[in-house]
């Protein structure tokens, strides 16, 4: 990521017109191989200040009661009490199930069924935020209906707000995600959509819990960083939002997710910061070299946790 761009914009420094053109961004994924990784010192401290006055805060994704969901052991009681599957340690869980299948075949069959590997699917799914228009462009139609067997047939989708949707990637080879469909599950109704959402976020949080941070600029604008390149997926994560609200001391937040790896925000009452948010959202969304476009709009998350569109059609007129 071209942090110089963010430093120049978010410090509210006076920049030339050339500085503010979309082609000047040169921004890449904050979590790509080209990006600067957090130092071990940064990882060990909750927050620190960079040389340019940016405050970096390490986010905490552990549960509120202090016990980490990533460290819980696998027990028969945990499996039976869980709505579907225990997901805390995939390798330990797989070993436990193999033993359970041998020692308690009837219980295993009752719980999972013959040949039911739905728990393996849940072990490898991740939340992916998309724009409705992007999905529409991928749909194959036949007689006014989604064509059976097409890329979008049977996609598992959750409506969020405006044109923003939550889909799921199935990680089968490294970070290559296949779109999760109902047909991937042996018994989709038994698994349930809520369980899919919960497990997807638990998988995602486990991957980023040691690195996820936020940068707070002197201008009042903040952004999530080191979130695996899918920071936008955290827009419905309550633990993340509670820390954002505390960090900027606000109850109503304006935010944008122009691409999958850019999640920026500020206090609704900070009008100068909002203008900077508009500039950055515009430059990011309009830059043809940046992949994973989501939305050019600004959104408002109020003190009740409800999200609505805050600003649209605020782009500068070319040549002015």
């Amino acid at each position: 990521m071209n942090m110089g761009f963010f430093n120049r914009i978010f410090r509210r420094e006076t920049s030339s017109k050339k500085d503010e053109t979309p082609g000047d961004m040169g921004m890449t994924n904050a979590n790509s191989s080209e990006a600067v990784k957090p130092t071990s010192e940064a990882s060990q401290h909750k927050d620190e200040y960079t040389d340019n006055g940016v405050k970096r805060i390490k986010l905490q994704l552990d549960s509120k009661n202090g016990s980490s969901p990533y460290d819980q052991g696998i027990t028969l009681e945990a499996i039976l009490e869980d709505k579907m599957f225990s997901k805390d340690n995939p390798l330990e869980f797989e070993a436990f199930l193999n033993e359970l299948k041998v020692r308690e075949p009837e219980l295993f069959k009752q719980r999972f069924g013959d040949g039911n590997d739905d728990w393996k699917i849940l072990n490898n799914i991740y939340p992916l935020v998309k724009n409705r228009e992007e999905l529409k462009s991928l749909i194959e139609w036949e007689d006014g209906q989604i064509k059976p067997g097409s890329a979008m047939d049977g996609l598992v989708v959750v409506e969020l707000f405006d044109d923003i949707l939550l889909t799921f990637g199935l990680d089968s080879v490294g970070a290559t995600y296949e779109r999760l469909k109902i047909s991937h599950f042996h018994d989709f109704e038994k698994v349930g959509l809520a369980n899919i959402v919960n497990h997807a976020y638990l998988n995602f949080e486990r991957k980023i819990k040691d690195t996820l941070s936020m940068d707070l600029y002197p201008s009042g604008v903040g952004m999530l960083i080191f979130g695996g390149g899918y920071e936008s997926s955290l827009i419905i994560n309550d633990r993340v939002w509670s820390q954002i609200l505390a960090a900027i001391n606000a109850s109503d937040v304006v935010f944008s997710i122009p691409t999958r790896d850019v999640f920026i925000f500020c206090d609704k009452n900070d009008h100068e910061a909002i203008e900077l948010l508009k500039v950055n959202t515009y430059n990011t969304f309009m830059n043809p070299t940046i992949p994973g476009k989501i939305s050019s709009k600004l959104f408002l998350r109020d003190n009740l946790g409800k999200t609505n569109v805050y600003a649209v059609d605020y782009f500068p007129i070319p040549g002015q």
Side-chain angles (χ1 to χ4, degrees):
M1 174 175 287
N2 186 344
M3 297 305 293
F5 172 83
F6 284 98
N7 294 337
R8 182 171 66 252
I9 294 295
F10 291 161
R11 284 206 308 267
R12 287 180 177 151
E13 291 182 351
T14 302
S15 58
S16 65
K17 191 174 185 62
K18 179 177 181 294
D19 289 337
E20 295 180 353
T21 58
D24 185 54
M25 282 199 63
M27 192 172 70
T28 59
N29 188 330
N31 302 280
S32 67
S33 59
E34 295 84 3
V36 177
K37 300 296 182 181
T39 63
S40 57
E41 182 180 358
S43 301
Q44 294 171 1
H45 295 80
K46 184 175 181 181
D47 55 74
E48 61 175 13
Y49 283 90
T50 64
D51 292 340
N52 52 23
V54 178
K55 183 178 182 181
R56 178 161 297 173
I57 302 175
K58 171 71 170 60
L59 271 67
Q60 305 298 315
L61 291 177
D62 293 350
S63 57
K64 295 180 180 179
N65 60 13
S67 63
S68 172
Y70 318 103
D71 300 329
Q72 297 175 10
I74 304 300
T75 65
L76 177 60
E77 290 74 17
I79 291 177
L80 297 180
E81 290 176 1
D82 185 41
K83 183 177 180 181
M84 184 62 188
F85 307 119
S86 178
K87 253 308 288 116
D88 305 316
N89 188 319
L91 295 179
E92 183 181 348
F93 186 52
E94 183 171 0
F96 184 92
L97 284 188
N98 290 333
E99 183 177 354
L100 181 67
K101 188 174 184 178
V102 173
R103 294 190 178 187
E104 300 286 347
E106 291 302 318
L107 176 60
F108 182 90
K109 182 177 181 180
Q110 176 185 359
R111 183 65 173 169
F112 303 104
D114 291 331
N116 184 351
D117 288 335
D118 285 352
W119 62 274
K120 289 185 178 180
I121 299 295
L122 290 179
N123 278 359
N124 293 284
I125 59 175
Y126 298 90
L128 304 174
V129 171
K130 299 287 185 180
N131 187 287
R132 190 185 309 275
E133 290 302 315
E134 177 188 349
L135 298 186
K136 282 183 179 180
S137 68
L138 298 174
I139 294 176
E140 295 180 57
W141 297 93
E142 188 175 81
D143 299 328
Q145 301 293 326
I146 296 178
K147 183 179 179 180
S150 67
M152 303 301 294
D153 183 20
L155 193 71
V156 181
V157 178
V158 178
E159 300 271 354
L160 295 184
F161 50 83
D162 191 52
D163 288 328
I164 306 300
L165 306 173
L166 180 65
T167 64
F168 303 89
L170 176 58
D171 184 3
S172 55
V173 183
T176 301
Y177 299 119
E178 177 184 359
R179 294 186 184 89
L180 183 68
K181 299 181 181 180
I182 294 174
S183 59
H184 280 120
F185 293 98
H186 176 273
D187 191 343
F188 177 80
E189 293 301 322
K190 181 180 179 182
V191 173
L193 191 55
N195 203 39
I196 290 174
V197 174
N198 291 337
H199 280 74
Y201 273 94
L202 189 58
N203 297 338
F204 181 42
E205 290 175 11
R206 183 183 296 106
K207 284 196 169 187
I208 63 174
K209 69 184 180 71
D210 294 327
T211 59
L212 182 65
S213 305
M214 74 172 88
D215 275 357
L216 299 181
Y217 288 78
S219 63
V221 175
M223 68 181 298
L224 295 187
I225 59 172
F226 305 127
Y230 293 91
E231 285 80 357
S232 61
S233 295
L234 295 165
I235 56 172
I236 61 170
N237 189 301
D238 288 338
R239 286 195 292 274
V240 170
W241 272 116
S242 65
Q243 293 172 80
I244 289 176
L245 297 177
I248 65 175
N249 191 27
S251 58
D252 296 335
V253 178
V254 175
F255 72 94
S256 71
I257 45 172
T259 64
R260 70 189 182 195
D261 65 343
V262 176
F263 179 168
I264 48 181
F265 50 85
C266 67
D267 185 347
K268 177 194 173 185
N269 295 318
D270 190 337
H271 301 296
E272 290 186 49
I274 290 175
E275 292 306 308
L276 291 173
L277 208 64
K278 290 178 180 180
V279 170
N280 181 257
T281 300
Y282 168 75
N283 285 340
T284 305
F285 189 80
M286 297 302 291
N287 190 325
T289 68
I290 302 177
K293 298 292 194 297
I294 295 180
S295 178
S296 60
K297 300 175 183 178
L298 265 58
F299 300 97
L300 171 66
R301 186 182 190 275
D302 64 23
N303 58 358
L304 299 178
K306 184 177 180 181
T307 299
N308 288 298
V309 175
Y310 178 81
V312 65
D313 296 333
Y314 53 82
F315 299 153
I317 300 175
Q320 294 189 1

